[in-house]
Amino acid sequence: MYTTCGFCSGSLGGDGSSSGLGVGKRFAFDAWKSRAWVICQRCGRWNLTPFDTRIETIEALERLSASGRVAATSEQVSLIRAGGCDVVRVGQPRRVELATWRYGERLKARERERLKVLVPTMVVFVGATIAFNAALGGSFGYMIGQIPRMADGIYTGIVGRRKVAIEPPICAACGNVMVLRARHVRHARLTETTHHDLALLLSCPRCHREGALLEGPDAELALRSGLTYVNLRKARRLKKKAAEAATFVDRHGGPEAFIHNSARMELTVSRLEGTEALALEMAVDEQAELRELERQWRQAEEIADIADNLAIAPAVEQEFRRLKGGDQPTG
Ligand SMILES: [Zn+2]
Ligand SMILES: [Zn+2]
């Protein structure tokens, strides 16, 4: 049994526990085509499981995914999380209602990140306040009460200053090279073009005119940064809102339709409020993750085709030889 990645030699992990799968923590399978992969956690490449054990592996993955929860789903691919494993199911997935837990998990991660800012700020600030009050004899209860808000402000500031990881466009109005940060995207306007369901008209950070148009993946990337920032600023009690936002996306026909409609309405990012802003962030995130999974799947599929042909070829050839031998004893 293989235990390391065929591309980077990294360990594929897995503890052979409840899943009965032995190797791997992230899997993909296509029951229709009878294919299964272990996804490397280090390099992300898809390792095709050996031909002879594939049927059992697929059965185990079917069981595992039936016990798990669907994180996201598209026409071709579903992402299922089950017992510490991720399973990507390929090909005509059952249309399952979108679970809200996935976004809940992201919000938890965001909260952990926020605490990383809050805690050091508190330590420094409490120290300073105590020293300050000791010197002046003031009431420091009030000051302490302000700390979480201050830390939130600092954290929001950090997120807002994060660079958007795209090639900086040139402003058509003033010629400025637009180095975009998350907070700049809030002035952008959603739109659509002939080739893309989602495009963003960027407002130039220098001249404040609409100076560049982003399309496709670039628009998506910028929008995700911008929405993370907008949602951080606007939404209080995000956890409660996550369920609401997921339902909102569902009610509007799922991620794809929802994004398309939002683009058609040409909304400015900062105009989006509460549930709608969160819903759009969720939808764009999910679409991006699924598209990446689909891309990886197509790549893996090509390799699987070649590998399967190699595995089947000798058997077929042998059979052919047997038949041929029967007909012509002389060989
Ligand atoms: Zn690898
Ligand atoms: Zn400009």
Side-chain angles (χ1 to χ4, degrees), residues 72-74 77 79 102 106 198 216-225 255-256 259 280-296:
T73 183
S74 76
V77 172
L79 177 61
R102 174 168 177 258
R106 271 204 49 193
L198 177 70
D218 275 1
E220 215 166 58
L221 201 72
L223 184 60
R224 288 167 79 185
S225 308
E256 214 176 336
I259 293 169
L280 189 62
E281 188 186 344
M282 242 162 131
V284 177
D285 269 4
E286 265 153 19
Q287 282 306 101
E289 185 171 3
L290 277 179
R291 222 188 354 272
E292 177 56 20
L293 283 170
E294 284 190 2
R295 193 188 63 76
Q296 291 171 356

Side-chain angles (χ1 to χ4, degrees), residues 113-128:
E113 210 182 329
R114 190 184 72 92
L115 284 177
K116 279 187 208 152
V117 176
L118 176 65
V119 174
T121 311
M122 277 191 93
V123 171
V124 171
F125 194 77
V126 170

Side-chain angles (χ1 to χ4, degrees), residues 129 132-133 136-144:
T129 311
F132 184 74
N133 278 280
L136 294 176
S139 84
F140 83 147
Y142 170 77
M143 304 279 272
I144 299 287

Side-chain angles (χ1 to χ4, degrees), residues 171-176 178 204-209 211:
C171 173
C174 74
N176 174 34
M178 294 161 67
C204 171
R206 192 163 80 186
C207 72
H208 305 293
R209 280 175 289 179

